[in-house]
């Protein structure tokens, strides 16, 4: 892997916070979509299933984003940058 590519993959404090924030937003949006599909949307089959599938995709993407930001931090040795973060 080239040096320029490694520099792009190094995560800092801001990127880690954004990754956690996006992951939590995806998870909450997925819960809202699934609950909306179950309880609020009328029995129109296409719309009901479409909202449910979007919710399931979001709930699958939430941990993928969280795990990928963790692995990018561990694999590309940017842990020393995270030690300097404000808490």
């Amino acid at each position: 892997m080239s040096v320029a590519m490694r520099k792009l993959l190094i995560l800092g404090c801001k990127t880690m916070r954004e990754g956690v924030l996006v992951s939590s937003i995806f998870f909450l949006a997925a819960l809202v979509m699934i609950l909306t599909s179950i309880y609020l949307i009328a029995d129109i089959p296409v719309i009901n299933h479409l909202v449910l599938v979007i919710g399931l995709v979001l709930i699958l993407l939430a941990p993928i984003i969280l795990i990928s930001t963790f692995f990018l931090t561990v694999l590309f040795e940017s842990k020393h940058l995270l030690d300097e973060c404000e808490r």
Side-chain angles (χ1 to χ4, degrees):
M1 188 179 294
S2 69
V3 176
M5 186 67 167
R6 281 187 176 239
K7 284 187 178 185
L8 287 175
L9 292 176
I10 292 177
L11 299 176
C13 298
K14 184 178 178 186
T15 312
M16 284 297 293
R17 288 186 189 127
E18 289 172 355
V20 172
L21 182 67
V22 167
S23 178
S24 61
I25 288 172
F26 274 25
F27 184 73
L28 291 176
L31 288 179
V32 168
M33 298 278 288
I34 291 171
L35 291 175
T36 301
S37 170
I38 293 172
Y39 295 114
L40 293 179
I41 295 181
D43 290 331
I44 304 172
V46 175
I47 295 175
N48 192 9
H49 290 285
L50 182 67
V51 172
L52 186 63
V53 166
I54 292 171
L56 290 174
V57 167
L58 286 175
I59 210 162
L60 288 174
L61 285 177
I64 291 172
I65 292 172
L66 197 60
I67 291 169
S68 66
T69 55
F70 172 74
F71 280 140
L72 284 175
T73 304
V74 171
L75 292 178
F76 294 109
E77 302 169 357
S78 61
K79 188 174 181 179
H80 66 278
L81 292 175
L82 295 176
D83 290 340
E84 300 170 0
C85 292
E86 296 178 12
R87 297 178 198 262

